[in-house]
Structure formats: C-alpha cells, structure tokens
Amino acid sequence: MSVPQNIGIKAIQVNIPRSYVTQDDLEETEISILGEESRTKIKGKFTKGLGQTALSFCTDHEDTASIAMSAVQKLMDTYGYKPTDFGRLEIGSETAIDRSKSIKSFVMQLFEENHSIMGVDNTNACYGGTAAFLNSLAWIESSQWDGRLALVVCADIAVYDDRAARPTGGCGAVAMVLGPDAPIVFEKGSLTNYFTHSFDFWKPNPANPHPKVDGPLSLTLYYECLENCYMQFRTRHPGTTLDKFDYVVFHTPFQNHIKKCTGRLNFLDQHQDNNDPEIIKTRSEHQTVSQQSHDAAQIFKDKVQPASLMSAMCGNGYTASLYMALSSLIFNRDLTGKRLMMFSYGSGAASSMYVLNVVGDIKFMKDALNLEERLANRVQRKVSDYDHDIKLADQLYRTAPYEPSCSLDLIESGAWYLEKIDDNWRRIYKRKE
Amino acid sequence: MSVPQNIGIKAIQVNIPRSYVTQDDLEETEISILGEESRTKIKGKFTKGLGQTALSFCTDHEDTASIAMSAVQKLMDTYGYKPTDFGRLEIGSETAIDRSKSIKSFVMQLFEENHSIMGVDNTNACYGGTAAFLNSLAWIESSQWDGRLALVVCADIAVYDDRAARPTGGCGAVAMVLGPDAPIVFEKGSLTNYFTHSFDFWKPNPANPHPKVDGPLSLTLYYECLENCYMQFRTRHPGTTLDKFDYVVFHTPFQNHIKKCTGRLNFLDQHQDNNDPEIIKTRSEHQTVSQQSHDAAQIFKDKVQPASLMSAMCGNGYTASLYMALSSLIFNRDLTGKRLMMFSYGSGAASSMYVLNVVGDIKFMKDALNLEERLANRVQRKVSDYDHDIKLADQLYRTAPYEPSCSLDLIESGAWYLEKIDDNWRRIYKRKE
C-alpha cells in the first residue's frame, strides 16, 4: 500500500429535516405572549439580533440515530458509495439516545454486509464531530489503516427549556467521507488545540433532556478558545493574519456570535504580541467586542458569511454546525484553490483550529448537496406545531413503549425514521419508501 | 522529528476504590434472603460459578470523574510524569456523569498549566477504552502528532438493578501512557475489528442509571465478535493458533465467561476453515461450549488466568476491564519477550483484537502497580454497606444539590473525590490530603 497523500474530505452530505419554523414567527409568538407593548423590544431580536432566519426541528419519528442514518443514506445515494467501501465509521454527538449503546452501533444497520468497520461515538458537547474527524484522519496516516475509507457523522438536535433560548436551537446531521487523494485536503501542521474545564453548557440532570447554559460564560469561553488556538497557530506560522485565508468557517451557535468572533480575530491581527494584556482584558467587554465586530464587518461579509446558509436556515446543529457551515460554503462558492480556516468549539470546553486546502474540483459536492432546492422543499410549520413536537420529543426521551404519532409525510422519501420504542426500550427504525 | 518507533504502552496505573465486598458474603446474603433451603443452589454460585472473589464499589464521594482523576493522579505520582508531558488525553467510559460535558473535561482539572491537550470521551459500552487506545496510537503515527505523549483513561462503575446480576458488578479505572520507544509495543498489522447492531446491554432509560441486559445474547454475541476477530486475524496471518501467543488477555465480565472464550478459541484452532458450519452451530450450544471450556482448562490456566487478579478481586470495570487484566498480568508474570493477544468487547456491539509485544524490561510497571499490597489495604465492607452505598449512588445520579454523606476515610490519601454537587448541578472535586 503506497503512503496516502492529500488526505481529506472526498464527499460531504447533510440531512435536512422537513420541519422548520421561521424566526419571524417565533418573534411574533413571543410578542403575542408578552403583549403588543413588547413589540419594539422583541421584533428583530431573533432575526436581526441573532442573525437567524429559521430553525429545523424533529418530529417524534426522528431522533439522533435516525438523522445520522439518513445523512449516511443520502451520502451513499448521492455519491454512489457502497457499505463495503468503509473501514471506519465514527460519530460525534451530544444528543445520545442511550448512555451505553453508541449511535454508531445504530448506524451499523446500514452496513449489514460489512462488520469490520471500527470507530465509536465521540462526546464533548459541540466538539465531538471534530474529534471524530481528526481521529479518522490520523487513522488513515497510521499503520492501522487498511486502505478503505472513513465515514464521519455529526448529528445533534438542539432544544432548550427556556423559551428565550429556543431561537438558538436547531438540528443538523452531516456525513463526510475521508480518504487519500481528496479534493479538500487537511493541511499538515495546521492543527492547534485548546481544552479546559468549565461549566458553560452541560446536561447533568437525567430527568431533563435539555442543557443547563451559562450563556455569557459560554460566549466568552468560545472567544478564549478561539483566540488561544489562533495565537498558537501564528506562533507556529509567523506572519499569520486573516489575509492568509480565503474563508473562515466557524462552529456557529448563531450568526451574530461569529460576527463577533471575526471581530476578535481581526483585533488579534492588530495585536501581534500574544502576551498583550489588551487581549484578555477586552474579551469580556461587551461594547468593545461589538465595536470590534463592527470594524470587521467587511471581513465577515467576504470570508465568513458565505458559509452561513445552513446555520441561518436550520439553526445550531451542535457537532454538525461547523460541517453544516462547510457544506454551505461548498454550495455557495467556487472553492478551487482556496484556503479555509476551520474552528471547532465544544463547551466544557474543547476546541481545535485547522486548515483545509481545496486542491481539486468539488462541483460534484455542490451538486450532491443541492441545498437551495432541498431547503425550499421543506415544510414551514407553525410555532404551535414546534411546541407540540418538542413536547413529544421529551416524551420520546423518557418513555417506553412509545409509538410516534407525527405524520410520516414529514419524513423525506428514502430517509430513516424511528418506527417505535418497544416495551423493552429497543428503538426500531425503518426506511421510508 | 524522527519517525516514531516501538509505539505502545510506556506506563499503566489503576485506581482501586477502598470499598469492597466478598462474593462469599454476597452468597450468604442471598441465602439469608431466599432461606436456608436455597443454600445448596446458591453456595458457590458467585465464587465457583462466576469464578469471582470480590467486587469493588464506590461511596457517594466517588463517581466516574473522580476515579478517572485518581487513576491519572496515581500514575503521575508513581511514574513521575508532569502535566506538560502530554499532548492528548482521551477517555473511554459508559458511566458518563453528564450527557454533554465530557469526563475528559473534568480530568483537565489536573492539567491547569497545559491547555493544548486534545481528545474527548469515547462511548460504546465496554469498548470505549480500546477506541481511545487505538485513536491515540494512530495519532502518534500521524502528522497531527506533536512529539508529546498520549494519556488514555478507562473508567466505569458497574451496578445492576437485578440482585441476581449484582455479583457481576464492579468498578475500575486505568490510566495508560502511550508513546514511542515503549517497552510494550502494539504489533503493526495485528488489528482486526468486528462491529454490529444489537440490544444485548444498553442504558436507554434516563430515570434508571442501570443497564438493561439480555445476558444470554450478550455472551453469545461476545463469542461471535471474538471468533470473527480471530478468524480475520488468522486469514491475515495463516498458521495462527493459540500457541503463537504467550498470553491471551480478555475483556472480562467475569472469570468463567473467559474460560469459555478460551474454549472457543481452542475449538477454532481445531476448525481452521472459517466457513465450517460447526463454528456458528456450536456457539449457542450451552453444553458444547462448557465441554470446550473444559477441554481448554490447561490453556486457560497457562495463558489466561495469570491476568485475572484485578477482575477476580474488583469485578467488572467495563471499559477498564481489559486493561485491569493487562495490569494484573504485568504484576503477576515476567513478560520480557512475551507476545500477548488482546481482545476488547463492548455490547451494542463493538470488538477489536490486537497483539502486544513486550520488548523491554517492565519491572518498573509491576512496582508502580503494587497490586497485592494495594488490594490488601482495602476495607472489606458488609453487604448492607454495599446496598446502602449503591442506593446513595442512585441519589447522586439524579439529585442536585447533593452533599455526599459517606466517610472520607473510605477515600485513599492523594485521591480525588466528589465534594458536592451544587444547586446548579455543578460537580465539585477535591483532592484528599
């Protein structure tokens, strides 16, 4: 076996749930609850304030395993891969449906003719997908590699207790094929990491499927991780500024947060000394960060916003978010010859920065993704439907036996769905004709 | 940086909880509940039937994070490593204390001066530790490697609802240092894998910390995985029989199961055709498997039992089990020049087989492990204490705020323990003086 070269992404596909609500409708509902006098305060809060357009959600026929399987199925169907092409399948998720049995093992239902396929689930909030991605890349460079491809799947469903936080929810599942001779190549020597212990977002209460969130801490910690990864990167690659990258692709809780992140990186470009006390000092200064965001508006528009389609239209996909952004960029721009900075963040906290170089033609990925048409084919649903379905998801989390009651019309043809949970808590899946 | 050679295990350490009950006491308690007339049926059921001597358990000052941190601390202290020696720290566990925040992030409390330390939690029942182990080995061979060491930690607490299953519980945490120029070397080309989708052991009910178990399926599936890995191995390495290995180290739910596994491998040695229908046919024949186990008694005694100390004395450590067995073997035998077959199994199901070669002197590991003295220094507790403490563990799982009530005398000096869970569900840890 020859030494593998140009290791990276050979294919990428997303699952898009059929159901979505608009942020505009969420604002109107909020106003109807709080009273018309709240209109000036609420109107624009989610659309302009967060920078979001819509969010995806799941019916009770969908769970983390079904959206992961559907992403893999769609990838197989649109790119023409076979189950036997793969020697590794790894999952990133923080929406586990079992505390022992992996989502990977559920996805093995698509690989009945191939049992020699290593890899399990990676857990660390929104970062698990990047852990899976980096593990799989390393595998291809290692003596463990058997010449077959790796499949990385990121899948999460983001729902919050607090009505004020709900507009930052969403859903996403992305499947990627990694291997040698890829058109999107992981740049050797580009990886930097920053990990720490924090309680900014966690899911400690087994009785509650939803997270506890320390919002301000989580956003500041995101900056801390981002900046430390970037400072490590420029220490290793002197002369690094944002000019050296055609695009910057962020893990995206919501659009306006990554505007501020762009501002922070631009600010760092103007403060080349990693020990400059201004860096830590300004990180938690709300007004300063807003000004920095404003100063970097053109950079955001040129280098960041082209990756925003899926985030703006589907919301936060947690582990999938960064790779939904990459999918959006592939769909929106001709990336031939372009250099991408990628930044992955997961609360708790974990983060990595790395670089991708597009060395080949990837129009086939754009065609396979077909995002515009697929997003347009979704079903716009009412906020009351959203409220109803996420209540069912809570039941689904804690109940057996369980028979889903939502319409199968809300499941895409060819996708996998949860048929039922039996009386022994076994989740049974089917593929929609 | 030169190409790393002889990549493998450079150090290994275990955490041993102070509390244990004997299987003899568990049998007596069972008899006292069922009545003296049950004595002939029960006496010897756990000791002779399962082949177990005792099991470790945790007080409510111990959880998965604390035993993982304690294993790492003990490793640092006994081998003299510093936090800055490591570039990667990965966890295997199926006893998560949070559905988003990783155990890895809790262990980062020991690495406050080192934030560039990648890796997260790996989840797939008892297999997650091996996923972490293989990922970390691949990292060292990859271009992502930065020359520093990897730390792999396996940590689990095994408790069952069903009183009949309780004797197969236990607790374990193992920390291992991986790197180049190791005395215990991972044999290139030795890895085989077998993965499938099954419900043999799973934890689907969030209201219940304990697993659902289909015992017969789990044991048969273990054979299926073991045999398929072994058959792949001998296809790749023709002429393979158990003679080619000095020792065979198994993931060990309980001793008598791996006796049967030894019987199955010995049976396979006599049936070299992987398509021989006898292989699948006999797998679920209880009496045949028992006879095969009996036939392989000497092989078990020579090649398997020397790795049984920790399993027999502490019970099932889930992800830690295989590496507790390796620790036992290192402690019990001079392994210089020896070749070890390792087999890892996790329900759901995931499995890998690989080979380790001991190329250097590892007496320093035996000394650091010091198992006999440490096991002797434990506190033998009554079955009523066990019942009391595992009830508290259930409270700990579902309650905040929570103040542990067990005595700190049951925590080893130098170990980490859970001080409390605060009213916002944050787990706070301290190190015992």
Side-chain angles (χ1 to χ4, degrees), chain A residues 87-88 90 93-102 104-106 108-109 114-128 131 133-135 137-139 141-144 186 188-189 191 193-199 201-210 212 214 224 232 347-350 352 397-398 423-428, chain B residues 87-88 90 93-102 104-106 108-109 114-128 131 133-135 137-139 141-144 186 188-189 191 193-199 201-210 212 214 224 232 347-350 352 397-398 423-428:
Chain A
R88 187 178 181 104
E90 234 177 315
S93 179
E94 59 162 313
T95 320
I97 55 174
D98 193 285
R99 281 166 299 110
S100 171
K101 183 171 163 62
S102 63
K104 150 70 183 280
S105 69
F106 284 98
M108 284 303 291
Q109 291 174 98
N114 176 12
H115 290 290
S116 68
I117 181 163
M118 66 189 299
V120 298
D121 290 5
N122 292 263
T123 311
N124 191 117
C126 302
Y127 178 85
F133 180 81
L134 296 171
N135 288 341
L137 291 173
W139 173 67
E141 288 187 291
S142 81
S143 60
Q144 290 172 39
F186 181 84
K188 289 186 185 182
L191 177 66
N193 302 298
Y194 188 86
F195 284 66
T196 190
H197 166 56
S198 71
F199 288 100
F201 175 112
W202 65 120
K203 295 180 178 170
N205 180 359
N208 185 340
H210 310 305
K212 299 194 76 69
D214 181 338
E224 180 182 331
Q232 279 178 54
S347 293
S352 292
Y397 171 77
R398 66 180 93 254
D423 54 8
N424 205 17
W425 288 89
R426 287 178 287 232
R427 292 188 182 220
I428 313 297
Chain B
R88 186 177 182 104
E90 234 177 315
S93 179
E94 59 162 313
T95 321
I97 55 175
D98 193 285
R99 281 165 299 111
S100 171
K101 183 171 163 62
S102 63
K104 149 70 182 279
S105 69
F106 285 98
M108 284 302 291
Q109 291 174 97
N114 177 13
H115 290 291
S116 68
I117 181 162
M118 66 189 299
V120 298
D121 289 5
N122 292 262
T123 311
N124 191 117
C126 302
Y127 179 85
F133 180 81
L134 295 171
N135 288 342
L137 290 174
W139 173 66
E141 288 187 291
S142 81
S143 60
Q144 291 172 39
F186 181 84
K188 289 185 185 183
L191 176 66
N193 302 297
Y194 188 85
F195 284 66
T196 190
H197 165 56
S198 71
F199 288 100
F201 175 112
W202 66 120
K203 295 180 178 171
N205 180 358
N208 186 340
H210 309 306
K212 300 193 76 67
D214 182 339
E224 179 182 331
Q232 279 178 54
S347 293
S352 292
Y397 170 77
R398 66 180 93 254
D423 54 8
N424 205 17
W425 289 88
R426 286 177 288 231
R427 292 188 182 220
I428 313 297

Side-chain angles (χ1 to χ4, degrees), chain A residues 152-167:
Chain A
V152 169
V153 184
C154 314
D156 274 304
I157 301 167
V159 175
Y160 296 89
D161 276 333
D162 182 8
R163 219 178 57 237
R166 288 197 178 173

Side-chain angles (χ1 to χ4, degrees), chain A residues 212-418:
Chain A
K212 299 194 76 69
V213 188
D214 181 338
L217 175 60
S218 193
L219 297 182
T220 312
L221 200 59
Y222 187 117
Y223 301 145
E224 180 182 331
C225 288
L226 171 68
E227 293 165 24
N228 275 285
C229 283
Y230 193 61
M231 290 189 287
Q232 279 178 54
F233 189 92
R234 72 185 184 186
T235 299
R236 203 187 300 158
H237 305 275
T240 293
T241 59
L242 288 176
D243 291 343
K244 298 289 191 292
F245 306 95
D246 296 292
Y247 297 100
V248 184
V249 187
F250 289 104
H251 164 64
T252 310
F254 50 87
Q255 286 299 310
N256 278 5
H257 174 64
I258 61 169
K259 253 188 209 171
K260 290 178 180 165
C261 292
T262 311
R264 291 298 296 170
L265 291 182
N266 183 48
F267 167 75
L268 280 179
D269 281 353
Q270 295 150 15
H271 294 74
Q272 285 289 334
D273 176 5
N274 288 349
N275 297 313
D276 186 335
E278 283 295 299
I279 295 172
I280 292 177
K281 180 175 162 285
T282 57
R283 193 177 287 154
S284 49
E285 292 173 6
H286 188 70
Q287 271 200 312
T288 312
V289 172
S290 286
Q291 182 59 46
Q292 290 165 349
S293 172
H294 183 78
D295 295 345
Q298 191 61 43
I299 301 173
F300 178 77
K301 202 176 157 209
D302 294 343
K303 294 184 193 288
V304 181
Q305 204 167 29
S308 70
L309 177 65
M310 286 290 289
S311 158
M313 298 299 278
C314 301
N316 191 353
Y318 288 167
T319 55
S321 169
L322 175 63
Y323 303 97
M324 288 160 76
L326 178 62
S327 303
S328 304
L329 185 61
I330 290 169
F331 184 76
N332 278 327
R333 288 289 185 277
D334 176 3
L335 294 180
T336 314
K338 301 300 184 192
R339 187 167 188 242
L340 282 48
M341 177 204 281
M342 306 284 289
F343 178 69
S344 180
Y345 174 79
S347 293
S351 65
S352 292
M353 183 175 280
Y354 62 86
V355 176
L356 296 176
N357 288 296
V358 182
V359 302
D361 184 359
I362 54 171
K363 189 174 173 302
F364 69 102
M365 293 190 194
K366 177 188 169 134
D367 293 344
L369 284 165
N370 189 24
L371 296 181
E372 212 161 72
E373 188 181 324
R374 290 171 68 201
L375 287 167
N377 282 343
R378 295 188 294 174
V379 180
Q380 182 181 342
R381 299 183 64 205
K382 291 179 295 189
V383 175
S384 56
D385 295 333
Y386 172 75
D387 287 337
H388 173 263
D389 287 7
I390 64 170
K391 247 177 231 151
L392 290 181
D394 272 25
Q395 289 303 310
L396 183 63
Y397 171 77
R398 66 180 93 254
T399 313
Y402 184 89
E403 296 269 354
S405 59
C406 290
S407 167
L408 280 176
D409 292 345
L410 293 165
I411 303 295
E412 200 183 3
S413 285
W416 289 81
Y417 65 91
L418 177 72

